[in-house]
Amino acid sequence: MDLQLHKECMKLMGNQFEISVVAKSKNYAYNCIIKAVEEIKRIENLLTTFNDGSETNLINAAAGMHPVQVSEETFRLIQRSIRISNVTQGAFDITYGSIDKNLWNFNLKMQTLPDAHTAKKMVRLINYKNIELNENDFSVLLKHKGMRIGFGVIGKGYVADKAKQVLLACGIESGIVNASGDLITWGFQPNGEPWTIGIAHPDAAYSVFSYFNISNMAVATSGNYEKFVCINGKKYSHTINPKTGLPITGIKSVTIITTHAEIADAMATPVTIMGIEAGLDMINQMNNIEAIIVDDDNRVFTSHNIRINKNKYTKN
């Protein structure tokens, strides 16, 4: 029996996931996908903020009072998140959870922006440097009451990487784990060709802006086409600058291409926050990572090793 592509779609972590694997047997493919889904659900139980007993919420509940011992897995994810915060000079910060959701609801009722002073006051608790880690017992302390961590800017990429590991261990040599746009690829299509990945059009989330071919790479896109608000004719992204408390303008989407979905997911937001020039300068100084940025005027900017030709992206 020839190799075939088998796909399963499901809702996980509040998002649409699609897992595609190359295998000879449909039953074998399905059983492997089930194992990957179980792994995603296991991690979701650790990281979710919708369950009072999750390790994330236990850390948040003890903010400003005492450290909380967590699994080494959660501890290491926080540790890596802090490293990314350092690299991005705080543009990536998992303590974003302290932002008042009433201030930034991004629904149709939102008609005005808060003034700069109010916005700045609302982000006073966002500071990754106030996360204290104890390597000896894997405990985590948020130093100030009201601080909250969340993994919305790295979690989908992390679970995509972990699901891939489960599928590889199951014997799946080629596939894609797509965690609502944050995806990891490995191997090749049944015909031996690389995977063809589409980037969502920044003006129409369900249309494709361009395509590129990759294998053994991860892709993540952060854009304002899914969640935004228009005030006085100006479009404001749902992405908030943790330093100012105000939403980002000027960039419609950032696509990151790198070796791991966790890194792709984590780096898309800080590049958006840093802006085109600073964001690309940072990416160009890093190894094995590329970026494609579309600004509000639909101009396309790329890192050094991306070549664009006839609206098709290729990795040099």
Side-chain angles (χ1 to χ4, degrees):
M1 185 182 293
D2 293 333
L3 290 171
Q4 292 183 325
L5 184 63
H6 306 276
K7 295 183 181 181
E8 293 289 338
C9 296
M10 67 288 293
K11 193 166 187 180
L12 298 163
M13 301 174 67
N15 293 277
Q16 193 68 27
F17 277 59
E18 183 179 85
I19 300 178
S20 307
V21 301
V22 176
K24 291 181 179 180
S25 162
K26 182 178 180 180
N27 286 339
Y28 178 69
Y30 180 76
N31 288 334
C32 290
I33 289 172
I34 288 297
K35 291 180 181 178
V37 170
E38 289 171 352
E39 174 72 347
I40 293 168
K41 288 180 177 179
R42 181 191 68 79
I43 296 169
E44 181 181 13
N45 287 334
L46 289 177
L47 305 183
T48 182
T49 56
F50 295 100
N51 179 350
D52 289 343
S54 73
E55 293 191 339
T56 302
N57 275 342
L58 292 175
I59 292 168
N60 292 339
M65 293 184 287
H66 60 80
V68 174
Q69 192 169 355
V70 297
S71 63
E72 182 176 359
E73 181 175 15
T74 300
F75 184 90
R76 297 299 180 200
L77 182 59
I78 294 172
Q79 199 173 51
R80 294 195 300 277
S81 296
I82 291 172
R83 283 201 289 268
I84 296 170
S85 295
N86 282 318
V87 168
T88 61
Q89 300 178 350
F92 173 93
D93 197 324
I94 60 170
T95 64
Y96 71 88
S98 58
I99 291 180
D100 188 340
K101 296 300 185 293
N102 295 319
L103 182 71
W104 295 117
N105 48 30
F106 287 95
N107 59 28
L108 295 176
K109 297 177 182 178
M110 187 174 177
Q111 311 244 330
T112 60
L113 294 176
D115 63 83
H117 176 74
T118 301
K120 182 75 172 178
K121 185 178 178 182
M122 295 311 300
V123 297
R124 63 187 174 81
L125 291 174
I126 301 177
N127 191 339
Y128 69 95
K129 294 179 181 178
N130 290 325
I131 304 174
E132 192 173 281
L133 301 180
N134 188 328
E135 184 86 31
N136 295 324
D137 62 357
F138 300 132
S139 65
V140 182
L141 171 67
L142 305 182
K143 291 183 181 179
H144 303 295
K145 283 191 175 182
M147 282 185 69
R148 291 177 58 83
I149 61 170
F151 296 98
V153 287
I154 195 172
K156 295 201 306 295
Y158 174 63
V159 299
D161 284 337
K162 294 291 285 185
K164 172 195 168 183
Q165 290 175 14
V166 168
L167 290 166
L168 282 171
C170 194
I172 300 297
E173 297 180 356
S174 301
I176 302 177
V177 177
N178 185 344
S180 191
D182 299 334
L183 60 88
I184 183 77
T185 70
W186 70 103
F188 298 91
Q189 298 183 62
N191 63 5
E193 294 291 324
W195 299 102
T196 299
I197 304 300
I199 298 177
H201 196 290
D203 292 328
Y206 297 102
S207 298
V208 175
F209 178 53
S210 193
Y211 299 88
F212 55 93
N213 297 324
I214 59 171
S215 182
N216 302 313
M217 299 291 284
V219 180
T221 298
S222 176
N224 66 7
Y225 45 80
E226 290 183 329
K227 197 173 183 181
F228 61 88
V229 66
C230 286
I231 298 174
N232 297 326
K234 191 171 184 179
K235 194 173 183 179
Y236 293 91
S237 166
H238 73 285
T239 303
I240 304 298
N241 187 325
K243 293 182 173 64
T244 66
L246 295 172
I248 301 303
T249 60
I251 291 179
K252 284 185 177 178
S253 71
V254 172
T255 297
I256 300 293
I257 308 164
T258 187
T259 52
H260 294 84
E262 177 184 313
I263 299 298
D265 189 9
M267 293 303 293
T269 296
V271 170
T272 305
I273 291 169
M274 295 170 76
I276 297 168
E277 186 175 346
L280 286 179
D281 182 61
M282 176 184 67
I283 294 296
N284 285 328
Q285 295 180 57
M286 301 171 71
N287 295 324
N288 301 315
I289 185 168
E290 306 297 338
I292 302 165
I293 302 174
V294 181
D295 73 2
D296 279 350
D297 297 317
N298 283 341
R299 292 178 299 178
V300 179
F301 303 82
T302 71
S303 53
H304 290 332
N305 293 321
I306 294 289
R307 184 174 67 252
I308 297 180
N309 183 29
K310 294 181 180 179
N311 209 38
K312 186 168 182 176
Y313 303 137
T314 58
K315 178 81 166 60
N316 281 348

